[in-house]
Each structure stands twice: as structure tokens, then as C-alpha cells.
Amino acid sequence: MTDAATAPIERTKGPTRRSIERFFGNRAAMVGLAIFLPILVAIITYDWWWGSGPNEIDLRALNKGPSPEHWLGSDGVGRDVMARLLQGGRVSLIVAVVSVAISTVIGFLVGSFASFGGRVVDASLMRLVDLAMTLPPVIFLLVLASIAGTGITPTILVISLLSWPTLSRMVRARLLELRERDFVVAARGMGAGVPHLLFKHGLPNCIDILVVYATLQVANAILLEAGLSFLGLGIAPPEASWGNMLNLARSTVVLEQYPWQWMFPGAALVLTVLAINFIGDGLRDAFDPRSALN
Amino acid sequence: MTQQPYLSVRNLSKHFKPAAFSRGAVVKALQDISFDIPRGQVVGLVGESGSGKTTIGRSVLRLIEPTSGQVMLDGVDVTTLSGAQLRHQRRKMQYIFQDPFASLSPRMTIGQVLTEGLDIQGIGTRAERRARAEKALMAVELPVDAFDRYAHEFSGGQRQRIGIARALTLEPDFIVADEPVSALDVSIQAQVINLLRDLQTRLGLTMLFISHDLAVVEYICDTVIVLYLGRIMEMAPAADLYARPSHPYTRALLSAIPSPDSATRPQRQILTGDIPSPANPPSGCVFRTRCPFAIEACAGDVPALREVAPGHLRACIRDDIL
Ligand SMILES: Nc1ncnc2c1ncn2[C@@H]1O[C@H](COP(=O)(O)OP(=O)(O)OP(=O)(O)O)[C@@H](O)[C@H]1O
Ligand code: SF4
Ligand SMILES: [Mg+2]
């Protein structure tokens, strides 16, 4: 009953701990992790345990189906589909992760400038965001991609330029609300400038938005990369990516007679995107204070 | 030698403009506020919700920009400072918040909360900052092992002590305490008030103590200011104000306090009607829409604050009452 200063302090779980526990209690998210982690490990480590490289040519195996030597078969020039699948996954994931990292940083910075930069900066940035959001994404992407060209770096650039506006809005809304909170006013009262407020208070309190957004956006970026590469605008052969492997299926011969050449990358793409979406949804629920009630 | 007051507020006004593109009137939260606080004294600021208490406290500390007026703190005009000068000035003036839950970041340990100001100000080494934070914890009678815990592990009263400790870490001379106990359990309000009073005397703090409750203010303040709709109604030494309230509004507030010696209190007098909107305050005396003594002349000019006894000021045109 008394609030004596010396009263024992009860240890309870913090909000972060509770979020983590909720995440690990989420079945769909765990299924997602169970699918995604093995894929990730295989993609990262394959050159240590898989015999052939993605661009090695085996002239004895042209368009051959799965065999003990080529588990997932081989393609029209005798390259191992398994090796290309794993290398393609590596490229697709690198493109996705790097472009999401870039767009997350852009989104956070734009949101920060808008919320801390005063009325004029805020108004102009938000009109810019409105504009970016009203551009039809497919057309925007195609135009950008044809300007930037093919290859890993241009693809990363194109994808990262497309996805920051939504995030910057969420960050701005969160920071505007945060700015009025008493503990932020207290920091101002102790002399804190914008950098301190942004990195000591803004960033830690946006971390849930950033993590959830980045996770879901990785899945999105994998799909975007696949779409671009499928159209021949993303990653160009001979470099492998899931998208340009699927590109092979545009030939009816491959589509009908050599299904292993497109089915496996297709399956890998679908599984990975699905798994990451499960994880992202799990994270969102875990961070959502309303789900703390159950 | 006449000593200049530590804090001197002159003609302070704050008008909140409606957000861009939204309809709505300018809210005149503060109108022409002037008062002094001598060094080492506590001035109480009392008024109903919405009367502008927080706005005064935050304007004085430049946590919001006043529309006009002057705030001299220890001889320096706070309203004209900027950049490094303002940051340096902030070491001298600190704020204690009303809500002990909103005022501590859920993502910082108490140690981080207590060293934040020292980090910002670049005071001391890591070890010195920690030592100063621990000293502040001891000053508010909390165990030092609170250092590595998060705010949610503490009760409201303990959190409020942490908020007080944070205000002390920069070793300020002047503190604005904005309703520091009104969010707390009644059973622990007295403890926190006592703590604040002890600290104030021990450290010789100058303080602006905000409350909506005249009874709390009586105990800790030297002078009391009664605020209504952004204007000062009455200002007097505490004892004087309670013994001889001279403004109809103060009388009404005092009569609402339950007291054992009811003989010395004016008859209970209930204020009728709502506080008018600060967007559209009444002309003349802002209290006239609820004043039992209002006459036609009250709608004319804004009553000036006049001295009715030494150090006792009030803003009412009727000298024939009270
Ligand atoms: N940021 C703001 N924008 C617009 N109006 C505001 C803002 N802050 C305060 N106000 C208005 O100014 C007036 C005074 O508010 P203030 O918070 O200073 O009152 P208070 O006396 O502290 O009240 P309480 O006892 O509820 O804390 C109120 O009418 C309020 O609505
Ligand atoms: S000036 Fe008139 S309305 Fe105002 S307090 Fe005095 S009597 Fe009441
Ligand atoms: Mg207030």
C-alpha cells in the first residue's frame, strides 16, 4: 500500500520482451521461419556443399531432368538448375534486402524531415510523397528500369525508389505524435537538439514500424525483382536470379517439356515470399499493443 | 540594495493558432501575464483545467514559444535566446511533469533517463554522469539499483520521484512543477509533496508550483497566483490569500475546499455555469459570466490588477464587496 521509496521493485517484462514472446508464440510466423531459415542457410552456404557452380556447363546434360548428379536437372546449355536456383536466390535476396535497406533509410529520413523540419518542409515533402504514391507503380517501374538499365545495381536502385513513400508517411505520423509526448518535451527542456531527439527517441520508437515494414517489403521486393527480370529489365543473364530463371518459361518448349527449369525457381519464389509474409504479419501482431490483450 | 527577482514574467501572452487549413479560432490561452518570483521562493499557480497553467509553465521554460512578452530568468531574457545560449540556459531551469507515465520513455532505463540531460549538455565523464544520476536517485529516496531498470517496473509515485530526480540532475536553480501530484494516489500525494518541499529548502530552489487545488498549494507556497481563463485574478502571499481572499473567484474556489474549521472559511458557494471558451472569452472581466457580483460595468474594460493590501493584488472593479 505504501509507496515507500525503499519498497522492493518488482521485476516485470518490458514491452520489447513481451513483443518477442508474442512473436515466438505465433504459429504462422513460426511456420514462416521454419521455411525461410533453411532456404536462407542453403542460399548462403551452397558453394561449400554443392558440387557445381551456377555457370558451369555440363555438355553431357542438356535439358536433362533431375538425376543423382543434377538433383533439379539442367538447362538448355547444360547448367545445373540447383546451383542456379541457389545462386539466383542469393541474387534475388541481396537485391531485395539492399533495396529495402535503402528505401527504409530514405523513408525514415523523409518522415523525420517532414515531422521536424517545420510547416513548409513538411507540406512540400508530403506533396512529393502524394505525387510518388499516385504514379502508377508498374509504369513508374518500367520507365525507371528502362532508364537505369539491367544489372544488380540498377535493379536495386529502381526497387528502392519505389517503396519509400508509404514508410515515410508512417514514420512522419509516429514522430508527430511522439514530438508532443512528455518524455520528448523533457529532452527538449534539457537542451536536446533535433539529432538527439531523432536518434535517441524517434528511432527507438519507430523500430516496430521499420522492422515490420522492412520484412514485408523484402517479400515485395523479391516479387518486384522477379517481375522485372521476367520482363528482361532486371537481372540479365548469365547472372542467375529467380526472375530470369522464370523468364525461360516464356518459351513453350521449356514450359511444356522441361518443367524442372521453371517449376523449382517458381516454387522457391512462392515459398520464400509466403514465408517472409508470415514472419512480417507475426511481427506486426507482436508489436501491436492491442494484441497484448489476448 | 534591492534584489532583483529570480524570475520575472512581463506581459506574457500565448495565442494558439488553429492548424493550417482547418477552421477554428485562435485560442487565447494566456493574456498579459506578469509576476515575479524572488530567489528561493515558491509561487503557486492555481486555476481550473484549461485556465492556462501548463501554458505559463512551458512558456517560461521556452518549451512553447510565447506570442509576446518577456521572461527574465536570473537577469537573462529567455524569450530571445537561441541555439547554444538557450541550451546552456536550460541547465538552470527544469520541468517536472504531471503524468508520471507519459514523462518517462518506455524504452530507456532509469539510468539512461537520468543521464540524458548530462549527455545532452556534455557535462562530465561517463563515470561522473553516473555518479550525479545516482546522487539524484538518492535525493529522491530511491534505491540505486533502480538504475538498470525500465520505467514500467515502477509505481506511479516512484516514477514521479524519477521525474523529479531527472529535473535535479542538471542542478537547476529554478523548477516548474506542473501538478506534480495530481495524477498520484491520494495516499502518496503527501509523500511526494513533502519530498519536493524538502528538496526546495535544502537546495534553495526557486519554484513555480502549478496545481488546480488550492489546498495543496497552501502547504508549499510563499505566494499564490489565481488564474482564470488565461488571466490573473488575484495574487497574494499565501497566508493572506487564504485568510482574506479578495476576488470573487478565489472565494468561490476556497469555499469549495472541505475544511475542519469551516467557521473560518467562507460559506460554500458553488460556481455555476461552464468556463467560457478561451477562443471567445467574455469582454471586460473574463469571470463575469460566472461571477455572483457581476454588474454592467464588468463587461467594459479589462479590470487592472490593483494592490488592495501590501503585496496583495486583485483584478476586480468592485471595491464595495468582500
Ligand atoms: N497546443 C495547443 N494548441 C491549441 N490549444 C492549446 C494547446 N495547448 C493548450 N491549448 C489550449 O490552451 C488553454 C490552456 O491550456 P493549458 O494546458 O495551459 O491549461 P491548464 O491550466 O494546464 O489545464 P489542465 O489543468 O487541464 O492541465 C486550453 O484552452 C487549451 O485547450
Ligand atoms: S470585475 Fe465584476 S465580474 Fe469580475 S470579478 Fe469583479 S465583480 Fe465579478
Ligand atoms: Mg496543465
Side-chain angles (χ1 to χ4, degrees):
Chain A
M1 181 63 221
T2 62
D3 190 70
T6 46
I9 300 163
E10 204 187 320
R11 283 239 91 145
T12 52
K13 289 175 198 146
T16 320
R17 271 293 295 280
R18 280 202 299 265
S19 294
I20 291 173
E21 279 174 19
R22 271 206 302 277
F23 175 69
F24 283 104
N26 182 321
R27 197 169 309 148
M30 287 307 102
V31 170
L33 267 188
I35 297 172
F36 180 66
L37 283 183
I39 295 179
L40 185 68
V41 170
I43 282 173
I44 291 173
T45 62
Y46 85 93
D47 15 31
W48 295 330
W49 51 265
W50 187 244
S52 35
N55 289 319
E56 268 169 46
I57 290 170
D58 181 354
L59 289 173
R60 291 160 301 148
L62 299 182
N63 288 327
K64 287 276 156 49
S67 67
E69 202 182 339
H70 301 290
W71 290 2
L72 305 183
S74 60
D75 67 5
V77 288
R79 293 176 300 193
D80 182 49
V81 171
M82 177 81 163
R84 287 189 72 72
L85 182 73
L86 292 165
Q87 174 62 24
R90 200 182 272 182
V91 171
S92 295
L93 271 183
I94 286 175
V95 168
V97 168
V98 174
S99 59
V100 167
I102 295 174
S103 68
T104 306
V105 171
I106 298 179
F108 180 73
L109 287 182
V110 171
S112 307
F113 282 128
S115 51
F116 278 93
R119 282 184 186 205
V120 180
V121 178
D122 185 19
S124 7
L125 280 177
M126 283 306 109
R127 293 301 81 75
L128 185 74
V129 167
D130 288 343
L131 188 73
M133 284 173 87
T134 44
L135 292 174
V138 178
I139 299 174
F140 185 54
L141 205 64
L142 291 181
V143 170
L144 254 171
S146 53
I147 296 171
T150 59
I152 293 187
T153 319
T155 310
I156 287 176
L157 222 111
V158 168
I159 297 178
S160 44
L161 278 184
L162 192 75
S163 36
W164 59 267
T166 336
L167 178 67
S168 69
R169 277 215 171 152
M170 292 192 286
V171 167
R172 170 181 174 269
R174 173 68 62 89
L175 290 181
L176 282 180
E177 178 213 320
L178 197 69
R179 224 176 43 168
E180 307 300 322
R181 299 271 288 276
D182 282 352
F183 63 85
V184 176
V185 176
R188 279 207 292 130
M190 296 187 293
V194 172
H196 178 95
L197 296 179
L198 215 48
F199 292 105
K200 290 287 158 80
H201 293 288
L203 194 55
N205 286 292
C206 283
I207 209 76
D208 53 340
I209 297 181
L210 298 179
V211 167
V212 172
Y213 166 85
T215 311
L216 293 172
Q217 199 57 34
V218 164
N220 228 341
I222 292 176
L223 287 175
L224 280 178
E225 181 278 324
L228 283 177
S229 301
F230 181 81
L231 296 174
L233 290 167
I235 309 297
E239 184 64 85
S241 86
W242 288 343
N244 71 23
M245 290 176 80
L246 283 171
N247 183 309
L248 294 177
R250 294 215 294 188
S251 130
T252 28
V253 184
V254 172
L255 188 67
E256 286 167 7
Q257 291 175 25
Y258 315 124
W260 58 88
Q261 289 178 14
W262 56 267
M263 229 144 74
F264 291 116
L269 185 76
V270 169
L271 270 181
T272 307
V273 168
L274 212 61
I276 295 177
N277 275 326
F278 280 173
I279 297 171
D281 285 343
L283 285 171
R284 190 174 48 206
D285 290 348
F287 280 124
D288 186 352
R290 276 164 303 180
S291 65
L293 302 176
N294 337 325
Chain B
M1 177 188 121
T2 56
Q3 220 193 345
Q4 67 167 351
Y6 188 77
L7 176 82
S8 174
V9 175
R10 286 293 168 269
N11 312 107
L12 185 70
S13 295
K14 175 67 190 178
H15 299 171
F16 288 105
K17 294 199 180 63
F21 308 120
S22 69
R23 285 186 299 140
V26 173
V27 174
K28 294 176 180 149
L30 295 180
Q31 298 263 54
D32 202 18
I33 301 288
S34 301
F35 63 94
D36 291 337
I37 309 184
R39 188 182 290 272
Q41 290 212 0
V42 182
V43 167
L45 192 55
V46 183
E48 287 165 284
S49 183
S51 55
K53 306 181 294 294
T54 299
T55 308
I56 290 186
R58 295 197 176 185
S59 300
V60 165
L61 295 197
R62 268 292 283 285
L63 290 168
I64 51 184
E65 293 297 323
T67 307
S68 64
Q70 195 189 36
V71 177
M72 300 289 288
L73 192 109
D74 202 11
V76 177
D77 187 353
V78 180
T79 51
T80 59
L81 294 179
S82 65
Q85 285 175 315
L86 179 60
R87 179 173 318 132
H88 198 266
Q89 183 76 7
R90 290 198 181 285
R91 295 185 188 183
K92 289 191 187 170
M93 48 188 208
Q94 285 297 305
Y95 201 87
I96 295 170
F97 292 83
Q98 172 173 3
D99 181 349
F101 290 88
S103 64
L104 301 178
S105 168
R107 297 187 189 275
M108 286 167 107
T109 63
I110 302 313
Q112 287 168 328
V113 168
L114 294 181
T115 50
E116 187 179 13
L118 300 167
D119 287 340
I120 292 169
Q121 296 282 349
I123 296 172
T125 63
R126 241 182 112 83
E128 282 163 4
R129 288 175 200 169
R130 185 176 173 120
R132 232 160 117 166
E134 283 177 356
K135 199 174 117 201
L137 268 182
M138 282 187 289
V140 297
E141 296 156 13
L142 279 179
V144 172
D145 73 350
F147 212 78
D148 297 312
R149 292 160 185 267
Y150 287 88
H152 71 266
E153 298 179 54
F154 297 87
S155 68
Q158 289 168 325
R159 281 166 158 251
Q160 198 56 298
R161 286 172 192 266
I162 294 165
I164 295 169
R166 168 175 60 195
L168 295 178
T169 54
L170 289 178
E171 298 178 357
D173 308 319
F174 175 66
I175 283 188
V176 174
D178 188 355
E179 307 203 35
V181 297
S182 62
L184 302 181
D185 220 63
V186 184
S187 59
I188 54 183
Q189 287 190 351
Q191 290 178 24
V192 175
I193 290 274
N194 279 331
L195 173 73
L196 269 175
R197 204 170 73 147
D198 290 349
L199 288 170
Q200 189 268 327
T201 11
R202 191 153 61 79
L203 303 173
L205 296 170
T206 308
M207 193 139 106
L208 180 64
F209 187 95
I210 297 175
S211 175
H212 61 261
D213 183 355
L214 266 172
V216 171
V217 165
E218 178 172 20
Y219 177 68
I220 192 169
C221 298
D222 301 293
T223 303
V224 177
I225 296 171
V226 178
L227 201 66
Y228 183 83
L229 217 61
R231 286 188 187 272
I232 294 178
M233 296 290 106
E234 184 166 9
M235 173 156 62
D240 210 23
L241 186 95
Y242 290 89
R244 286 174 295 280
S246 128
H247 193 283
Y249 179 57
T250 316
R251 265 179 79 94
L253 285 182
L254 276 175
S255 74
I257 301 175
S259 107
D261 50 342
S262 51
T264 66
R265 293 277 192 229
Q267 237 185 357
R268 189 164 167 80
Q269 170 195 335
I270 294 159
L271 282 177
T272 51
D274 290 328
I275 309 181
S277 157
N280 187 17
S283 66
C285 174
V286 284
F287 184 55
R288 73 181 160 83
T289 54
R290 295 166 83 198
C291 180
F293 307 100
I295 53 173
E296 215 167 290
C298 299
D301 293 332
V302 176
L305 259 182
R306 288 174 304 143
E307 197 159 35
V308 291
H312 193 145
L313 288 81
R314 70 157 182 179
C316 175
I317 55 166
R318 290 194 62 176
D319 293 328
D320 52 327
I321 51 162
L322 304 172

